[in-house]
Structure formats: structure tokens, C-alpha cells
Amino acid sequence: MSADSIPLKKKIALNLFRSFRKNESKLHKLNYIFWEATLRCNLSCIHCGSDCKRDASVPDMPVEHFLRAIDQITDIIDPNNTTIVFTGGEALLRKDLEEAGLALYKRGFPWGIVTNGMLLKKERLDSLLKSGLRAVTISFDGLENSHNWLRGSSKSYSNALSAIKLLPQVPNLVYDVVTCVNQKSFEELNEIKELLISCEVKEWRLFTIFPIGRAGEHPELQLDPDSFRKLFDFIVSTKKEGRIGINYGCEGFLGSYEGEARDNLFFCKAGINVASILADGSISACPNLRANFIQGNIYKDNLRDVWEKKYSLFRERSWTKTGLCADCKFFKYCEGNGMHLRDENTGELLFCHLKRIREGEQTLHPKG
């Protein structure tokens, strides 16, 4: 399919969704919070876009400091419908996650973790479940050689796979497996799919890697335009098979692949429904947004006031209509792509999904 050839029915849906998105921005109801529980990590992934290290310079935030910030927003949110996700670094390096999780559970919040799986053994999973754990995301980035190469550890693949196999055994647990697709893992997608199905995994999310953080030093992490386009064809065909739930991550507008490669239409909810508390107390949207996207800090600001009175650059995005976006006919549906793909200092767009898909289409129909 051509990325630019959007059928009339889908255009109507996109326009209706545009109105919904504007209303969501106006209401900005907070319902998803990330807590960067630590910058420590037990791996050294070559695609890491954060400040994570084995020995982080920023100490772990005390649980009571995080809870104090959460208690500041209870009058503007519904705890039962507000998910809190522990991320990192590697969140499971903290020995007190159960303490934090149980405190949230008692306050009515569903909570989850994002993990590389290295430390998610049955005993730890059982301990977390007793503290109210409701959701788990595990990273799984290729077959053994590819995964271990990306993660920088010969044990990473086996540990992640063992952790993944635990999840389908837990009743009512919401979980998924996330794969960062790169040049090495792209050719393995069918095998990865079959492996996950054999492990009874029900939900699989695919992301692509962009030149941010350490990933900027490794061009082999980027899919070429032809492979980039084929990735979405793979997702669409896998959806039609109906053997495993599959979606592309919430990263960018995909043109005619909208509603095909995802269960929903593109919507960057950063600062609209999503906030984060970073390891140093900084208040942001998603944890990938730092520098000039920081809105405050829990050690000097009230989280409720920050959410209600700031985040204007997230909720009114006409300022993103520059550079590649300036003359784009699809800007009204995209509004400048995912916020994490904009330069933290200049605001310029670093990567356009639609542009890369179009480039991939040129390999099919080169101009002679």
C-alpha cells in the first residue's frame, strides 16, 4: 500500500480522531505515570537512550519522596484508572519495589514494571504480585545472538526468555513483550513470532530505534527505508493471521498504515495523559523527554500544580509545524510526530516515519 493513499473512510476516521485528540489535550486528564525508579542498570545496551549505567551518579529516589508527589495529585485523578509504571534503568535492581508497589496498591493504583528480564525469577515475580503488581513489559530484541549483541550480555537472552515464559501462567496479569527492531533482528521477525507464540505470549509490540543516546553511535541499528516499510507489512499480515496480538509502538504517524499497524490511531499522549517522575525528581512527560521538556521538579514544585499549569508545549503543538512538518499535508493528523523524536534543544523533528516509509516505496517504484 502507498503511505499517502489514505482511503476516504480512513480520512473520516482520522478527522474524527483529530477532534477527540484536541478535546483530550484540552481536558489533559492524567491517567498514566512513569516513575524512573533508578538509573542503575545490569546491562549496557547499545541502543539505550537514557543516562543508565551500572553505577549511576544519581542515587535512587527514596520511596517516600515518590509517594509524597503522588499524594499531591489524588484530587485530580481517579487512582483506580491511573496506571503507574516503574521503569529505569532496570527497576528490579531496587530491593524496595514491593514496598512502593504495596503503598500504591493500598492507595488504589494499578501498577506495573518495565524490565529487561534479567532478574525476573519466579520468586521475585511472586513477591511483586503479592504487592499488587498488575502489568509487566519485558524487552526481547531478537534471537539469541542478536538479542545478546544489543543488550551486551551473553545471559540476557536466556534470562529474558525464562521471564517471558512465567507471564502466561499468571491469571489476570496484563503483560506484553517489546522488540526493538534493528538490522540484525529484522530478518528474524518470523522466527521471533513463532517463538513467542510457542511461549503462549498474547501481545507483542514492535519499535524501531532512532539515533538518540547511544543509538546515535550505531548506524546498524537503523532500518533502511525498504526494511522500514516491510516492517509494517509484516505487522499487518501478522494481525490478519490472528495468532498473536501485534502492534507498532506509539511513535509516529504512519500514513495509510494508520489503523492497520496499530489497534488505534497515532496519538502522542506525552503531557496530555502521560507524566513521568525522573530519578532526580524532574517532572516530565514520558521518561525519554529531558532537557528543555522538563516541566518542574518534585523537590521544589507541587506535582498537581505542574500538571495543571504547565505542559503547554505538549498540549498545543502548532510550534512543531517547522522543518519537515512545515508543508506536510498530514500535519493535522500527526502534529509533529512523537515528542521524543524532536530535538530537546531546538525542537526540530529528528525522524519522520512517513518520510522513511515513502523512501521505502521508492525502492519498489524507482523513478526512471
Side-chain angles (χ1 to χ4, degrees):
M1 66 175 74
S2 169
D4 283 357
S5 299
I6 300 178
L8 177 60
K9 186 176 180 180
K10 189 175 291 186
K11 283 184 178 178
I12 294 172
L14 285 167
N15 280 309
L16 289 172
F17 192 73
R18 182 186 177 201
S19 298
F20 166 77
R21 196 174 63 233
K22 284 187 174 181
N23 190 55
E24 285 291 288
S25 298
K26 182 179 179 180
L27 296 174
H28 53 266
K29 185 173 178 60
L30 179 59
N31 56 31
Y32 207 92
I33 303 169
F34 288 99
W35 179 33
E36 190 177 59
T38 183
L39 284 179
R40 293 179 293 133
C41 191
N42 48 5
L43 294 176
S44 184
C45 307
I46 63 175
H47 69 305
C48 184
S50 73
D51 302 321
C52 306
K53 298 176 182 177
R54 291 183 184 273
D55 297 307
S57 58
V58 177
D60 294 351
M61 179 186 297
V63 171
E64 59 268 25
H65 294 185
F66 170 67
L67 294 174
R68 185 171 62 225
I70 294 300
D71 287 340
Q72 293 169 351
I73 59 169
T74 52
D75 63 332
I76 62 167
I77 54 96
D78 174 6
N80 294 153
N81 292 303
T82 303
T83 299
I84 297 180
V85 176
F86 301 162
T87 184
E90 172 50 48
L92 291 180
L93 284 171
R94 288 191 66 137
K95 305 301 184 184
D96 57 359
L97 281 194
E98 286 86 348
E99 176 190 342
L102 185 59
L104 291 174
Y105 175 77
K106 290 178 177 178
R107 286 165 167 79
F109 291 96
W111 64 276
I113 58 171
V114 177
T115 176
N116 58 35
M118 289 287 286
L119 300 174
L120 191 61
K121 313 299 182 185
K122 187 177 185 307
E123 296 75 15
R124 188 73 194 274
L125 178 59
D126 288 344
S127 176
L128 293 164
L129 289 167
K130 289 176 182 176
S131 299
L133 176 70
R134 293 280 300 277
V136 179
T137 292
I138 295 182
S139 298
F140 191 70
D141 297 310
L143 299 181
E144 187 163 11
N145 289 337
S146 298
H147 180 93
N148 288 344
W149 164 76
L150 189 72
R151 296 281 165 178
S153 167
S154 61
K155 298 179 180 179
S156 179
Y157 173 86
S158 59
N159 286 0
L161 186 58
S162 295
I164 287 168
K165 290 178 179 179
L166 294 172
L167 304 184
Q169 302 174 32
V170 182
N172 303 316
L173 181 68
V174 176
Y175 69 89
D176 64 355
V177 172
V178 169
T179 298
C180 290
V181 184
N182 56 75
Q183 289 184 32
K184 287 181 179 287
S185 61
F186 176 74
E187 299 296 337
E188 302 171 346
L189 287 175
N190 270 307
E191 292 177 85
I192 298 169
K193 176 183 71 175
E194 296 300 329
L195 175 59
L196 294 179
I197 291 172
S198 73
C199 295
E200 301 183 29
V201 170
K202 302 300 182 185
E203 296 294 333
W204 185 24
R205 265 187 302 155
L206 305 183
F207 286 83
T208 38
I209 303 172
F210 305 106
I212 298 171
R214 295 177 198 159
E217 303 169 11
H218 297 274
E220 67 273 22
L221 295 175
Q222 313 300 311
L223 293 183
D224 62 72
D226 185 50
S227 297
F228 195 77
R229 176 189 56 80
K230 287 179 178 177
L231 170 64
F232 299 108
D233 290 335
F234 168 79
I235 294 173
V236 172
S237 65
T238 300
K239 275 185 174 294
K240 290 179 180 177
E241 291 176 357
R243 298 167 63 216
I244 186 172
I246 185 171
N247 282 283
Y248 185 65
C250 54
E251 292 192 325
F253 181 73
L254 307 177
S256 60
Y257 287 100
E258 283 296 319
E260 310 290 334
R262 295 191 191 94
D263 290 341
N264 46 26
L265 300 175
F266 172 67
F267 183 10
C268 177
K269 296 184 178 182
I272 296 172
N273 304 117
V274 179
S276 68
I277 297 175
L278 305 184
D280 65 354
S282 294
I283 301 169
S284 186
C286 74
N288 290 323
L289 293 167
R290 289 174 141 80
N292 290 338
F293 291 120
I294 297 297
Q295 299 297 294
N297 192 291
I298 65 166
Y299 291 113
K300 63 182 181 65
D301 301 305
N302 183 289
L303 181 58
R304 181 191 191 280
D305 291 343
V306 172
W307 181 258
E308 292 288 89
K309 299 176 182 178
K310 295 193 176 182
Y311 286 95
S312 59
L313 78 167
F314 294 89
R315 296 167 188 167
E316 203 295 304
R317 300 189 184 180
S318 61
W319 63 270
T320 64
K321 196 171 174 60
T322 61
L324 288 174
C325 301
D327 300 314
C328 181
K329 63 181 179 180
F330 296 117
F331 179 83
K332 61 184 178 180
Y333 304 136
C334 175
E335 291 193 324
N337 221 343
M339 289 288 280
H340 71 291
L341 296 174
R342 306 200 75 88
D343 186 276
E344 292 178 334
N345 295 306
T346 67
E348 291 298 316
L349 183 63
L350 299 172
F351 187 93
C352 174
H353 290 68
L354 189 58
K355 180 175 182 289
R356 181 63 61 89
I357 294 172
R358 287 168 175 160
E359 291 168 351
E361 291 171 352
Q362 291 302 312
T363 65
L364 285 175
H365 308 290
K367 295 180 180 179

